[in-house]
Amino acid sequence: MTGPEEVRCMLMRGGTSKGAYILADDLPKDTAARDELLLRIMGSPDPRQIDGLGGAHPLTSKVAVVSASEDPGADVDYLFLQVAVDRPEVTDRQNCGNILAGVGPFAVERGLVTPRDEETSVRIRMLNTGERAVATFPTPGGRVRYTGAAEISSVPGTAAPVTIAFPPGDSPLLPTGQVRDTVAGTPVTCVDNGMPTVLIAASALKVTGYEEPAELEADPVLAARLHEIRREAGRLMGLGETESSTVPKLSLLAPPSNGGAVTTRTFIPVRCHTAIGVLGAASVAAGLRIPGTVGEGIARLPGRGDRMRIEHPTGFLDIDTRVDPGSGGTPPTALHTAVVRTARKLFDGTVFPRPASGTPAPPDRGENPTTTASVRPSGGTHGSAPR
């Protein structure tokens, strides 16, 4: 298959992830052709992704496909695609709440949403699951502002805040219907507050939960246990066979060490996250607020208010979560979830995909032959790029 020789693209940092943001109209309509093109754009399969935009890690090999929404309750549609680094695989089986942080600003930059003065809210339909989010960010003078004083762990410096609110979804908060399940001989809690997640006490897997990600990744016994748990939990959660899927996520829980509610180590699914995903944190936080889950006796819940601090390997994530625990046979439900993230436009320009297998390379028109992207300066830290 062959795709367009060049594609309009904006590279953005969204939260603690980085990815290519592309309009749906700028990609092939056929799914297989689209995925083949994205593999070439990102430089996969290759452990270094040396011939593409990818950063050789799942957190930097992501794509947001954005379009105007036909749904009257949404302004834009957002399809998240995870591009595997060392395999020819593109999957839409999960959302990404970090990349979500850049969708609203990108929609304004591309003219899909008319900005308001001072502040703009963009209603987003997440096509991966059908769930909704509302992203609010500063737009003084009708232009996206990326600079600001908001600070998030794992990202150097500060930027403008992007507040993301998640209305309650229709999916059950406890997909198995149980507060606790035993999976592969291990007590777990399966929860889905935007991201299918399996909560596990770190001690149940004979680790502390404070190890560095690389140490956990290098433990073959732990890897085998996690693989078994993920497969069985996926079936219990109605996700089917998860051998080639990135969900469910697995979050190991340990008592907090820095004044938060809990310490986490999250697997995505094989690599250990250097932080924690937004939607994964939303699921962890909701799971901790339900009495009787595996987090009980591990987490130290805040005495009042909705805000909870989730600790992770490189810092923390603050998330507001309110849950109705249910009673008398009524299942627990999430009432409110919101988080503050930041996003920043890194470049806006044209990406030149690696030639398709068996296709001659396009003629050199003067671009630097050692790069795959032609970067057009955006004229500062904010504002719309020329169309």
Side-chain angles (χ1 to χ4, degrees):
M1 296 180 186
T2 60
E5 183 181 312
E6 54 190 66
V7 178
R8 192 173 182 217
C9 173
M10 184 180 291
L11 189 69
M12 300 185 75
R13 175 187 62 76
T16 56
S17 293
K18 184 167 61 177
Y21 290 68
I22 304 174
L23 290 175
D25 288 345
D26 291 334
L27 292 170
K29 303 299 181 188
D30 177 74
T31 299
R34 178 203 67 196
D35 291 352
E36 188 271 345
L37 174 62
L38 291 176
L39 286 167
R40 293 190 286 119
I41 286 174
M42 300 305 287
S44 297
D46 172 33
R48 297 179 299 157
Q49 291 183 314
I50 196 65
D51 207 24
L53 296 182
H57 193 282
L59 299 182
T60 56
S61 186
K62 301 185 174 188
V63 175
V65 181
V66 183
S67 59
S69 182
E70 297 180 357
D71 189 312
D75 299 309
V76 298
D77 289 341
Y78 156 52
L79 176 68
F80 170 70
L81 297 174
Q82 179 73 58
V83 181
V85 174
D86 55 0
R87 304 186 309 280
E89 177 182 293
V90 179
T91 178
D92 64 358
R93 291 195 65 182
Q94 68 170 79
N95 278 331
C96 178
N98 277 299
I99 291 296
L100 173 63
V103 170
F106 176 76
V108 170
E109 296 266 16
R110 285 291 187 262
L112 300 181
V113 174
T114 301
R116 303 182 65 178
D117 192 17
E118 299 305 327
E119 188 176 81
T120 298
S121 292
V122 177
R123 301 171 301 165
I124 302 167
R125 179 172 65 165
M126 296 177 280
L127 295 182
N128 302 74
T129 61
E131 294 172 318
R132 309 302 175 102
V134 179
T136 303
F137 48 94
T139 51
R143 294 165 65 96
V144 178
R145 190 186 76 206
Y146 294 101
T147 56
E151 183 176 3
I152 62 175
S153 291
S154 303
V155 176
T158 62
V162 179
T163 301
I164 306 174
F166 301 95
D170 297 327
S171 301
L173 187 57
L174 297 177
T176 70
Q178 304 296 322
V179 171
R180 289 189 185 219
D181 293 283
T182 299
V183 175
T186 306
V188 305
T189 294
C190 301
V191 59
D192 185 355
N193 188 25
M195 177 68 70
T197 304
V198 182
L199 309 184
I200 312 166
S203 59
L205 297 179
K206 296 182 169 43
V207 295
T208 67
Y210 306 112
E211 294 88 349
E212 290 298 318
E215 181 182 350
L216 293 173
E217 289 177 2
D219 185 338
V221 175
L222 176 64
R225 288 287 305 278
L226 292 175
H227 179 73
E228 187 179 6
I229 291 170
R230 200 170 78 86
R231 289 190 63 183
E232 288 193 25
R235 288 193 287 265
L236 278 178
M237 297 171 79
L239 300 173
E241 292 301 323
T242 59
E243 192 70 32
S244 60
S245 172
T246 58
V247 291
K249 309 298 186 190
L250 307 180
S251 279
L252 310 189
L253 308 181
S257 60
N258 256 326
V262 71
T263 293
T264 60
R265 295 293 185 266
T266 300
F267 288 81
I268 55 171
V270 178
R271 301 289 297 270
C272 183
H273 205 314
T274 55
I276 189 171
V278 169
L279 296 172
S283 292
V284 170
L288 295 181
R289 291 195 181 275
I290 302 171
T293 66
V294 297
E296 195 168 73
I298 297 175
R300 298 171 189 164
L301 301 184
R304 58 182 181 178
D306 297 335
R307 181 150 299 180
M308 183 183 297
R309 175 160 290 184
I310 307 295
E311 298 178 4
H312 56 70
T314 52
F316 60 85
L317 186 150
D318 287 335
I319 190 159
D320 293 348
T321 307
R322 187 163 63 252
V323 170
D324 179 351
S327 62
T330 302
T333 56
L335 302 177
H336 170 74
T337 305
V339 65
V340 174
R341 305 308 278 158
T342 65
R344 195 171 77 81
K345 176 171 61 175
L346 303 179
F347 80 66
D348 187 7
T350 302
V351 60
F352 296 87
R354 179 186 67 228
S357 178
T359 302
D364 189 350
R365 292 169 297 177
E367 295 88 357
N368 183 341
T370 63
T371 64
T372 58
S374 171
V375 181
R376 179 172 62 246
S378 60
T381 57
H382 63 271
S384 300
R387 294 187 64 84

